[in-house]
C-alpha cells in the first residue's frame, strides 16, 4: 500500500486507502470508515509530511533521469528548485543525477518504509548519490538559498 501511494504521488496522481479485509462485523472500510488496520497508515502519513514540505506552487511529473528507455524511477519536480525521485521495489546502490550547475541543493535519502530522512550534504550539477540497495527509497534535492 505504501509503495502504491508513493508511486501515485511521484507520477502526478492521487492514491486512496480502501481496505477490503474481512471484518468480524462485516464492515467494509471504504464504505463505512472506521479504524485503518496494518502498518500503512503511519507510512502514508509520512508521505503526507513529505508532500507538505514540497513547494507551495506545485510540482510536475519528471521524465526519467537517464533516457526514455530507462524509467526505473518516478519523480515530481519544480525545475531548479525541488526534485523528488522514488525507486519503489528497485534497489539501486547508487544513482547519477544531473541538476542545474548554477545552484546548490540539499541532498536527502528518504527511507519510505522506515520513515527516515538521511542528510547527504550539498550537491549541484552532475554527481553520483550513494544509495542503500534497499527497496522503497527516495532521493530529494531542495535548492539552498544563498
Amino acid at each position: 500500500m505504501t509503495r502504491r501511494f508513493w508511486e501515485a504521488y511521484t507520477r502526478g496522481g492521487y492514491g486512496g486507502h480502501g481496505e477490503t479485509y474481512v471484518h468480524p462485523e462485516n464492515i467494509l472500510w471504504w464504505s463505512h470508515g472506521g479504524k485503518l488496520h496494518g502498518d500503512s497508515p503511519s507510512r502514508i502519513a509520512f508521505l503526507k509530511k513529505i508532500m507538505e514540505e514540497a513547494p507551495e506552487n506545485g510540482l510536475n511529473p519528471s521524465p526519467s533521469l537517464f533516457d526514455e528507455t530507462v524509467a526505473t524511477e518516478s519523480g515530481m519536480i519544480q525545475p531548479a528548485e525541488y526534485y523528488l525521485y522514488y525507486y519503489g521495489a528497485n534497489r539501486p546502490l547508487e544513482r547519477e543525477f544531473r541538476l542545474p550547475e548554477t545552484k546548490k541543493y540539499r541532498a536527502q535519502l528518504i527511507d519510505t518504509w522506515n520513515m527516515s530522512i538521511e542528510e547527504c550534504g550539498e550537491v549541484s550539477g552532475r554527481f553520483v548519490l550513494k544509495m542503500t540497495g534497499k527497496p522503497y527509497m527516495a532521493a530529494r534535492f531542495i535548492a539552498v538559498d544563498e
Side-chain angles (χ1 to χ4, degrees):
M1 183 66 72
T2 301
R3 174 185 58 83
R4 290 181 176 164
F5 268 75
W6 272 88
E7 286 177 351
Y9 176 64
T10 56
R11 288 186 169 116
Y14 299 92
H17 199 301
E19 293 190 29
T20 57
Y21 299 108
V22 175
H23 189 279
E25 298 171 24
N26 204 26
I27 297 171
L28 291 176
W29 186 90
W30 56 263
S31 66
H32 299 287
K35 181 181 183 325
L36 293 173
H37 299 276
D39 296 326
S40 60
S42 60
R43 290 185 174 94
I44 294 167
F46 178 72
L47 170 58
K48 182 180 180 215
K49 176 183 170 285
I50 298 291
M51 293 166 66
E52 290 170 343
E53 294 170 354
E56 290 182 12
N57 51 348
L59 300 174
N60 296 306
S62 170
S64 171
L65 295 176
F66 301 99
D67 61 45
E68 301 310 316
T69 63
V70 182
T72 59
E73 69 278 318
S74 54
M76 293 295 286
I77 68 170
Q78 186 180 98
E81 296 300 321
Y82 183 94
Y83 300 82
L84 174 67
Y85 296 100
Y86 178 63
Y87 296 93
N90 297 301
R91 299 170 179 243
L93 291 173
E94 61 183 30
R95 269 306 205 219
E96 179 181 315
F97 292 90
R98 297 178 198 125
L99 299 178
E101 294 180 7
T102 56
K103 285 192 171 192
K104 290 189 184 285
Y105 296 86
R106 193 169 104 214
Q108 299 176 321
L109 193 56
I110 302 171
D111 185 330
T112 69
W113 188 257
N114 292 313
M115 298 175 286
S116 63
I117 300 173
E118 176 187 344
E119 296 291 335
C120 300
E122 288 187 0
V123 296
S124 66
R126 189 175 181 160
F127 62 94
V128 173
L129 180 68
K130 299 291 183 191
M131 306 212 24
T132 64
K134 294 180 353 185
Y136 316 120
M137 300 299 290
R140 177 167 66 173
F141 307 99
I142 304 167
V144 176
D145 293 329
E146 297 186 59

